[in-house]
Amino acid sequence: MTAIAVVAPMVTRRKKRVPIGIMLCFGFVLVVILAAFVGPHFLTRTANTADPFNLGATPTARHWLGTDELGRDVYARLVIGAYSALIGPFIIALSGLIVSGLVGIAAGYLGGLTDMVTMRVVDFMIALPGLLLTIVLVTVVQGGYWVAVLVLSVLNVQGDIRLVRGATLAQRSLAYVEAARVVGISRFAIMYRHIARNVITILLADCAVDFAGALVALAGLSFLGLGAPPGTPDWGLMLTAGQQILFENPFASLAPGLAIVILAVSVNLIGDWLYEWQSRVASGR
Amino acid sequence: MRRAQGLRAYAVRRLLLLVPLVFLISVVVFLLVHMVPGGPVAALIGEHATNTATVDAIRARYHLNASLPSQYGAWVDQVVHGNLGTSIFTSQSVGSEIRQRLPVSVVLNAIGLTLALLIGVPLGSLAAARRGGRLDRMAVGLAIFLSSTPNFVMAIVLLYLLCIRVTIFPLGGLGSGFVDEAFHMILPGIVMCIGPLGFVTKITRASMLEQREADYVAFARARGISRHRIYRGYVLRNALIPLLTASGLIIVSALTATVFVEDVFGIPGLGGLLVTSIENTDIPVIQGLVLLIAIWVVLVNVAVDLCYVSIDPRVTFRGIK
């Protein structure tokens, strides 16, 4: 008896609070966003000035993370590189959100031919080796960063569509949808006002995972010299270039590497947490 | 008996579906040359196509003056006879380049996938058995960490820690002699397994948790079969089915990892070949590799499908004649 009395309030309290780990993840994402948008104004060193007397130097008070193979300040490049690390994945995740919201809900709600065609396309796309395909296309078309973003956006959307369609199927049989139909609300409004509101959290969770995946994929392309143009401060590019001076200044490649990992892990954990939060809410606990 | 027939019919149908798919792949690979800015001549001899005689020779040799379909026909004819063209960069035949480098990549992939299964399946099942416990939380955290860590970052970090900070492993390359070669493969092999490992752990855990709740587990418990035997003999076997369905994705992710791992560790395999041909925009080599990779991915997916339907007795073939 006492056990129940003790356990019950703990459960209600735990439900409301955001776990400390997730707070840290949000914190790190915020730091990266700040670095990308206001960070450059606070830098004391410029990212592209070479210091010919300090090639691949270890960290000092002057260069917080040392210098790279051309003597440029690694810390400044890390801060400025945050922008290209965020913008591409953001566009990819956002396009996934919009397209899968429109197509996935329609496929799930309307069913029939719309659903069949959509699922055929999605089934075909899931079998494609996405990153390899992107590597080849970007090489052949010689497009660079934005072509990579475009190709990844297209390839990324299939998982989102599948998920939204599934969630919509679950919603379709619920009472509120039927009620809306009986009252005479248009199909469009049912799909994109009522159902959309109920699948948006799960979709956001999925987009967080997409963001992390896109971050890693774009960094990988830059790492192979296919993403950001040479010379720009980009985490993937810094990683490759820094690998050459791993003996002299390991931070030149470890710092951007760790930045990629921590950002990807944070965003993934946030996505997981959102997903669980949503399923807790859905199951009414 | 009827199931065996159904299975055979399904296999035949699935294999017949390969015909249009392979056709589609071949068209795309053929068209890669035409997608290069500057056209096929630039793609086939590099960027400086100024000499008219050379250009004409190339156009004649690759039938570039003919119509697109007949160009395609000529190209398929060459490919079927084992001629994938010549590398722009090394002037070697693409076929022999690929043949030389294939074995290392196969070994690397095999090591990565084996490690992922050997560690991931027990870890995932243990985590599921102790759901909510410390081991479970550690396994879940590890899986998330591993599946969101890019392998090129992990490769560089390990390279720094284990080859430069503490010199345990060689910096890269292949080594000579069997023992030395095997030693050179350890670190790349470990990096190869990290992505698939996260995935395998996650899937095994999720499907073990699902199976645990199944009715047959309760019945088996009621009949007095030991927990251990239920897990080993029933739950695990059923739980591996989702792993089989996902194995196509796992194998493809290992394939992608090959490119980065071989690049970081300087291993002369197919991934390294892809990276060099990217750097030199060596379209014939890229075409050859894409063809190989596409056919491999298609075959893996077909094999996975066939394995799945033949293993899972719940799959019926009622719809198929």
Side-chain angles (χ1 to χ4, degrees):
Chain A
M1 285 306 258
T2 42
I4 294 168
V6 173
V7 166
M10 261 179 73
V11 170
T12 46
R13 210 179 47 184
R14 269 181 67 180
K15 197 169 76 179
K16 284 194 176 146
R17 204 189 286 161
V18 179
I20 187 109
I22 299 301
M23 300 266 269
L24 278 176
C25 293
F26 272 115
F28 187 76
V29 173
L30 193 68
V31 167
V32 177
I33 293 174
L34 285 178
F37 291 99
V38 293
H41 302 295
F42 291 94
L43 286 174
T44 48
R45 311 258 149 239
T46 55
N48 289 316
T49 330
D51 183 350
F53 300 107
N54 280 315
L55 301 184
T58 43
T60 54
R62 216 172 122 79
H63 301 290
W64 290 358
L65 288 171
T67 57
D68 69 1
E69 77 287 356
L70 295 174
R72 297 171 298 194
D73 187 65
V74 173
Y75 178 74
R77 294 179 76 73
L78 192 69
V79 170
I80 292 176
Y83 180 75
S84 76
L86 286 177
I87 192 75
F90 179 75
I91 291 174
I92 292 169
L94 188 70
S95 67
L97 182 92
I98 295 169
V99 173
S100 67
L102 292 175
V103 177
I105 293 180
Y109 186 73
L110 300 175
L113 191 66
T114 321
D115 190 33
M116 212 184 77
V117 172
T118 312
M119 289 319 283
R120 275 288 142 79
V121 175
V122 165
D123 279 339
F124 172 71
M125 279 165 73
I126 201 172
L128 295 174
L131 190 54
L132 284 176
L133 191 65
T134 317
I135 290 174
V136 170
L137 278 178
V138 174
T139 314
V140 171
V141 185
Q142 294 165 18
Y145 189 77
W146 294 107
V147 171
V149 170
L150 181 72
V151 176
L152 285 173
S153 300
V154 173
L155 291 174
N156 166 61
V157 100
Q158 50 91 7
D160 301 341
I161 292 182
R162 191 182 287 264
L163 186 95
V164 174
R165 174 185 171 268
T168 307
L169 280 179
Q171 295 289 324
R172 194 169 67 160
S173 55
L174 294 184
Y176 79 91
V177 176
E178 207 164 324
R181 212 161 18 202
V182 170
V183 173
I185 295 175
S186 73
R187 285 201 299 196
F188 187 85
I190 293 180
M191 289 194 304
Y192 298 124
R193 187 171 308 147
H194 300 279
I195 293 182
R197 209 166 281 179
N198 286 295
V199 297
I200 190 77
T201 320
I202 203 169
L203 184 54
L204 276 176
D206 196 46
C207 283
V209 178
D210 285 348
F211 181 94
L215 170 73
V216 169
L218 279 175
L221 286 169
S222 290
F223 184 74
L224 296 177
L226 289 172
T232 46
D234 174 276
W235 293 355
L237 276 178
M238 291 169 71
L239 204 58
T240 337
Q243 199 197 332
Q244 312 306 324
I245 54 164
L246 210 48
F247 280 101
E248 292 88 353
N249 179 18
F251 293 99
S253 70
L254 293 185
L258 288 182
I260 294 170
V261 171
I262 299 176
L263 186 59
V265 172
S266 301
V267 177
N268 259 335
L269 285 173
I270 291 173
D272 260 28
W273 169 77
L274 259 179
Y275 196 87
E276 257 172 39
W277 180 70
Q278 157 70 21
S279 51
R280 256 207 316 266
V281 170
S283 65
R285 275 199 286 143
Chain B
M1 198 58 217
R2 279 200 51 199
R3 202 185 127 75
Q5 273 173 0
L7 195 61
R8 205 170 309 138
Y10 175 81
V12 169
R13 211 178 63 139
R14 192 76 181 75
L15 290 174
L16 277 179
L17 266 177
L18 281 182
V19 177
L21 199 56
V22 168
F23 173 71
L24 196 72
I25 291 170
S26 69
V27 169
V28 171
V29 173
F30 163 72
L31 286 177
L32 281 181
V33 177
H34 292 267
M35 286 162 68
V36 177
V41 177
L44 291 167
I45 57 174
E47 273 158 35
H48 23 263
T50 42
N51 188 339
T52 359
T54 325
V55 172
D56 285 345
I58 288 283
R59 294 197 79 91
R61 191 169 146 206
Y62 290 95
H63 311 279
L64 289 177
N65 296 317
S67 69
L68 215 53
S70 76
Q71 281 182 42
Y72 172 71
W75 179 77
V76 169
D77 188 50
Q78 291 287 315
V79 170
V80 170
H81 289 94
N83 183 6
L84 288 165
T86 316
S87 160
I88 296 169
F89 195 62
T90 61
S91 305
Q92 257 193 309
S93 92
V94 174
S96 76
E97 290 250 14
I98 289 180
R99 230 167 295 130
Q100 278 169 20
R101 289 152 178 266
L102 185 64
V104 195
S105 297
V106 171
V107 169
L108 211 52
N109 273 278
I111 296 175
L113 292 171
T114 315
L115 279 179
L117 287 178
L118 283 182
I119 305 170
V121 171
L123 189 63
S125 346
L126 270 177
R130 295 177 195 169
R131 181 183 197 175
R134 187 184 288 171
L135 189 99
D136 182 29
R137 267 176 292 151
M138 268 169 57
V140 171
L142 187 75
I144 290 180
F145 173 70
L146 288 183
S147 52
S148 43
T149 305
N151 39 45
F152 45 93
V153 174
M154 185 63 102
I156 289 181
V157 171
L158 288 183
L159 195 74
Y160 174 68
L161 290 178
L162 299 177
C163 305
I164 293 179
R165 262 283 124 112
V166 193
T167 42
I168 303 176
F169 292 105
L171 263 172
L174 270 186
S176 52
F178 180 75
V179 179
D180 196 34
E181 274 175 19
F183 193 56
H184 276 76
M185 281 289 136
I186 295 178
L187 211 51
I190 291 174
V191 178
M192 281 293 293
C193 93
I194 60 158
L197 176 59
F199 205 41
V200 169
T201 311
K202 245 191 253 182
I203 293 177
T204 312
R205 176 178 176 275
S207 87
M208 285 290 272
L209 283 178
E210 201 191 311
Q211 289 296 324
R212 226 166 57 142
E213 307 294 322
D215 287 341
Y216 70 85
V217 176
F219 288 135
R221 285 296 294 158
R223 290 219 311 273
I225 299 174
S226 77
R227 198 171 279 269
H228 184 69
R229 250 188 79 189
I230 294 175
Y231 265 92
R232 282 273 297 276
Y234 303 87
V235 177
L236 185 61
R237 283 177 62 163
N238 280 305
L240 290 183
I241 290 177
L243 196 62
L244 178 69
T245 7
S247 60
L249 290 177
I250 297 173
I251 290 173
V252 168
S253 81
L255 198 66
T256 315
T258 322
V259 178
F260 296 99
V261 172
E262 288 183 2
D263 186 46
V264 174
F265 290 101
I267 295 169
L270 290 183
L273 185 63
L274 185 64
V275 174
T276 357
S277 55
I278 286 168
E279 278 161 7
N280 304 316
T281 336
D282 196 343
I283 302 293
V285 179
I286 295 178
Q287 273 184 311
L289 286 171
V290 171
L291 199 62
L292 186 75
I293 291 169
I295 288 173
W296 168 238
V297 169
V298 167
L299 287 182
V300 163
N301 280 315
V302 171
V304 165
D305 276 5
L306 290 181
C307 280
Y308 170 70
V309 295
S310 54
I311 283 179
D312 195 339
R314 288 169 300 185
V315 178
T316 55
F317 299 96
R318 221 171 292 149
I320 303 166
K321 275 265 145 32

